[in-house]
Amino acid sequence: MNFKGISQNLNDSVTCIPNYQLRKAINLIEKGKVTQEELDSSKQLVIYLNKRINTKDSIILRYGQKDQYWKKIDGVNKEKISNLNTIVDNQNKVINIQSRSIKRGKFGKIALLVLGFSTGILISK
């Protein structure tokens, strides 16, 4: 196989290249165009996915903030419940003390009544 050299001068408008090299060059150019289109498509996909990620991150951040608010509210409510339970316990203690005092008072009245009757009976004899 005889190859003609690639030469070009000012007067020459034709370049001689073997067919297999031309086909190879054309295939490489076409592959480059396809690869460039794939690259552009991939870049657009990356941009789109980044926008979706940013949107999802902002939504997650908002839900996280709401969750923090609810935790604070829940903590305050639990503290209020604890305080109210303490108040109820204290009131129950006061009621128990008052009921003992009332029972002692009744017992004292009954003891005085019995003592009075006993004294009356002893005096009358």
Side-chain angles (χ1 to χ4, degrees):
M1 194 181 255
N2 197 3
F3 296 109
K4 294 183 178 181
I6 299 172
S7 65
Q8 192 171 12
N9 46 17
L10 294 175
N11 297 329
D12 192 11
S13 62
V14 177
T15 303
C16 296
I17 300 175
N19 281 341
Y20 76 93
Q21 285 182 345
L22 273 174
R23 285 189 196 115
K24 194 172 181 181
I26 291 171
N27 286 338
L28 286 174
I29 291 170
E30 290 299 320
K31 284 182 184 178
K33 287 180 181 177
V34 170
T35 305
Q36 184 63 41
E37 288 176 6
E38 288 176 354
L39 180 63
D40 292 340
S41 174
S42 296
K43 284 180 182 178
Q44 292 298 324
L45 182 61
V46 167
I47 291 170
Y48 170 73
L49 292 175
N50 278 335
K51 286 180 182 177
R52 285 189 62 193
I53 289 172
N54 289 337
T55 303
K56 287 181 179 182
D57 285 347
S58 67
I59 290 170
I60 290 171
L61 179 66
R62 277 188 264 149
Y63 279 118
Q65 289 172 344
K66 287 181 182 179
D67 190 41
Q68 290 297 326
Y69 295 144
W70 284 112
K71 283 183 181 178
K72 287 179 185 177
I73 291 170
D74 189 42
V76 169
N77 287 340
K78 285 182 180 179
E79 187 176 327
K80 286 180 181 178
I81 289 170
S82 175
N83 291 339
L84 291 174
N85 285 335
T86 304
I87 291 170
V88 168
D89 289 342
N90 290 338
Q91 291 297 325
N92 284 335
K93 288 178 184 176
V94 168
I95 289 170
N96 287 336
I97 291 171
Q98 287 176 347
S99 67
R100 283 188 209 142
S101 175
I102 291 171
K103 286 179 185 177
R104 286 182 189 152
K106 284 183 182 179
F107 180 73
K109 287 180 184 178
I110 292 173
L112 283 176
L113 182 66
V114 169
L115 185 63
F117 280 128
S118 302
T119 306
I121 292 174
L122 284 175
I123 292 176
S124 63
K125 287 187 180 190

